[in-house]
Amino acid sequence: MIEKFSTGIEGLDQLTDGGFLRGSAYIVQGPPGAGKTILANQFCYAHVRAGGRALYMTLLAESSSRMLAYVSQMDFFEGSALPDAMQYISGYGVLEREGLPGLLKLVQHELKRHRATAMVLDGTFVAQSVASEQEFRAFIHALQGVAGMADAVLVMLTHQNRDSSCPEHTMVDGWIELSDETQGFRAYRTIQVRKHRGAAILPGKHRVRITGEGVAVFPRVESALEAAPAARAEAHRVTSGHEGLDTLLQGGLPAGSATLLVGPTGAGKTTLGLHYLSLSSAQEPGLMFGFYETPAHLLQKARSIGLDLDTPLDDGTLEISWLPPAENIVDELVRDIVSRARARKAKRVFVDGLVAIRDSLVIPERMPYVINALSMQLGAIGASVVYTSEIPELQLDQAMMPSDELSAMVDNVLLLNTGRRGHAFRRYLSVIKLRDSDFDPRTHEFHVNARGIAFGPDPRVAESREAG
């Protein structure tokens, strides 16, 4: 089996099934500003940290010192690696004077002199501009041979947008494309492994973020995570945190299942979720991930209805995480939830606000597949997850929830509805679906008092009627 070198980027390693193949040549293609230079430098320093030797040759007019000044600001930069294990040189002058034959000799010479096991050739499009198509094709073919003979990884960077029929793409071992894309006012970066000879890849486009830490790649969770979970073997029930609801559910929620609380604003979805979390314990650690209400506000809300979240928070059996709704990368978010749940061996997970996740998706149609992947990952570690999702207010005589393919991606669906009758605002709860289990199908009125959710009409409604 051919040895693989980590790219230094966890997500890209996942896309390429472990990284770059030793003795192989790759093209990294993308427009200016897409992150090619950062990605290549990140690979070099990761390679050096792993004990290798790296060489970065630029064909651009930009000097190596200017490149170094920029890269030195990144977190992955290690000044101690220079100039022994990591070296920057320019091939621009040789290319101008001697053309492609001279550049090929320079690459061979520097690889050997530096004893490099990884090399970046930045600005391949410059080499193409000084030669014919046939000469350039021969140059790429020779470079691939040089990489193989040196038993090194060669990464060629180009900003040219050349399609898959171009000869260089058929000759190299791998082809990675970076893109800058826009949708409406939203701009985002993607990466796609178009080719990786002899290795399994995660196909399609995946999101990229560039920060001071370097390039981060987030594989789409529905393609990267779906194969991991094991079948749910737990048959017991988990209490919802409310005795009356447990009765409707004939014992509680099936352990390891995914439940959707759906309804209009003010219906009591978050309140029911707080009931669920209030039973977090050492035996059933809890995790909440929310977008709209801050942890401080949630704690105050819980106290106002007699639910104790302070104790499990203080003893470490409950974690509340909050992320403001924005242009988040959903694949990063899902991994964070799964990672936190695994770390604390959570059994009770509450995700409040699927609308925030849907609004962060560039392609909203991914939503059911993302939630399915998240639910399966949580189910595999024995966690039962409760989601909330907001829908417009329903008429009280509407017996069924509006059609939503999302409901097919969860095990259980509870509809919380609201309406006004007479002069009173009323809340209603219906169990719409409880996978493979019987349940009470009737709609029940409920209200929220100083002890949380209580079934039955609000006594204050009757008092108001009598007073009227």
Side-chain angles (χ1 to χ4, degrees):
M1 180 178 293
I2 302 176
E3 183 184 1
K4 290 179 181 174
F5 293 146
S6 170
T7 63
I9 302 169
E10 182 181 352
L12 184 53
D13 282 353
Q14 196 173 357
L15 297 188
T16 55
D17 194 27
F20 295 138
L21 293 166
R22 185 167 192 157
S24 300
Y26 293 83
I27 287 178
V28 176
Q29 170 182 309
K36 302 183 298 298
T37 303
I38 297 175
L39 183 151
N41 275 282
Q42 205 166 338
F43 162 59
C44 287
Y45 284 98
H47 187 70
V48 167
R49 280 196 300 275
R53 297 174 65 84
L55 179 64
Y56 197 109
M57 180 182 291
T58 178
L59 303 182
L60 306 175
E62 181 183 53
S63 67
S64 297
S65 59
R66 189 168 181 179
M67 154 92 69
L68 193 55
Y70 171 68
V71 171
S72 64
Q73 301 177 65
M74 309 298 292
D75 289 355
F76 58 74
F77 176 76
E78 289 186 16
S80 60
L82 300 171
D84 183 27
M86 174 73 192
Q87 198 168 91
Y88 291 87
I89 61 173
S90 174
Y92 182 74
V94 171
L95 181 62
E96 269 201 325
R97 294 190 304 272
E98 305 174 27
L100 293 185
L103 179 62
L104 185 60
K105 287 181 183 177
L106 179 65
V107 170
Q108 289 175 301
H109 173 75
E110 292 297 332
L111 266 174
K112 185 176 181 181
R113 183 183 68 82
H114 191 63
R115 292 178 285 117
T117 45
M119 178 175 179
V120 173
L121 190 61
D122 189 357
T124 310
F125 64 92
V126 180
Q128 187 183 9
S129 68
V130 301
S132 67
E133 191 74 23
Q134 188 175 6
E135 290 169 333
F136 182 67
R137 188 186 311 170
F139 174 69
I140 295 294
H141 180 69
L143 277 181
Q144 190 179 28
V146 169
M149 291 292 290
D151 210 15
V153 170
L154 174 62
V155 178
M156 294 172 278
L157 308 185
T158 180
H159 70 217
Q160 285 185 311
N161 185 22
R162 290 164 65 85
D163 62 36
S164 56
S165 63
C166 292
E168 64 267 29
H169 293 140
T170 63
M171 299 161 73
V172 294
D173 300 285
W175 172 23
I176 296 171
E177 185 172 26
L178 290 161
S179 302
D180 270 331
E181 304 188 28
T182 58
Q183 184 181 73
F185 293 108
R186 182 183 294 186
Y188 58 96
R189 291 184 171 96
T190 64
I191 190 169
Q192 182 176 11
V193 179
R194 304 288 296 266
K195 173 184 177 183
H196 195 201
R197 193 169 281 162
I201 62 172
L202 286 179
K205 293 185 177 181
H206 307 267
R207 291 288 299 273
V208 170
R209 175 183 289 134
I210 300 177
T211 68
E213 296 177 354
V215 172
V217 174
F218 305 100
R220 296 191 326 278
V221 292
E222 62 268 36
S223 64
L225 298 180
E226 64 184 359
R232 295 172 181 144
E234 300 181 63
H236 67 278
R237 297 297 180 105
V238 175
T239 175
S240 66
H242 188 278
E243 186 177 353
L245 179 56
D246 285 348
T247 300
L248 302 186
L249 299 170
Q250 305 212 350
L253 299 168
S257 67
T259 300
L260 177 64
L261 307 181
V262 62
T265 185
K269 302 183 295 297
T270 301
T271 300
L272 195 52
L274 296 181
H275 271 276
Y276 179 65
L277 283 181
S278 67
L279 295 188
S280 299
S281 64
Q283 293 72 36
E284 294 184 358
L287 169 66
M288 176 177 177
F289 212 100
F291 299 93
Y292 297 103
E293 298 182 82
T294 65
H297 185 260
L298 285 168
L299 287 175
Q300 180 57 39
K301 185 174 188 174
R303 294 185 196 113
S304 70
I305 54 177
L307 296 175
D308 179 19
L309 296 187
D310 295 274
T311 298
L313 269 178
D314 291 343
D315 65 23
T317 57
L318 172 63
E319 175 185 344
I320 297 179
S321 184
W322 173 68
L323 184 68
E327 293 183 13
N328 301 304
I329 297 180
V330 169
D331 306 292
E332 177 184 27
L333 178 64
V334 168
R335 281 176 173 75
D336 186 33
I337 295 173
V338 172
S339 175
R340 289 171 186 267
R342 281 179 178 158
R344 59 189 307 104
K345 298 180 180 176
K347 297 300 179 187
R348 294 176 173 270
V349 177
F350 177 39
V351 180
D352 191 17
L354 290 190
V355 171
I357 293 179
R358 185 193 297 267
D359 290 346
S360 293
L361 286 167
V362 175
I363 303 174
E365 289 77 11
R366 288 184 56 205
M367 181 71 171
Y369 307 103
V370 168
I371 297 306
N372 184 55
L374 174 58
S375 300
M376 293 186 75
Q377 291 292 316
L378 294 174
I381 61 175
S384 307
V385 57
V386 173
Y387 303 105
T388 67
S389 183
E390 193 158 314
I391 58 173
E393 186 172 1
L394 302 174
Q395 297 297 318
L396 290 179
D397 57 357
Q398 284 186 278
M400 299 300 294
M401 185 182 69
S403 176
D404 188 344
E405 61 180 348
L406 182 60
S407 68
M409 297 296 163
V410 293
D411 302 294
N412 322 306
V413 178
L414 277 62
L415 172 63
L416 287 78
N417 200 3
T418 60
R420 184 176 296 277
R421 281 188 174 176
H423 299 289
F425 174 80
R426 298 170 186 260
R427 293 184 174 95
Y428 299 87
L429 185 150
S430 307
V431 180
I432 301 297
K433 165 181 156 185
L434 193 67
R435 185 163 285 172
D436 299 329
S437 300
D438 195 10
F439 58 87
D440 184 340
R442 294 174 294 175
T443 296
H444 297 263
E445 186 173 351
F446 72 95
H447 61 280
V448 180
N449 59 30
R451 291 182 295 178
I453 285 178
F455 281 103
D458 190 335
R460 292 170 293 182
V461 174
E463 291 170 5
S464 173
R465 190 180 301 125
E466 290 173 4

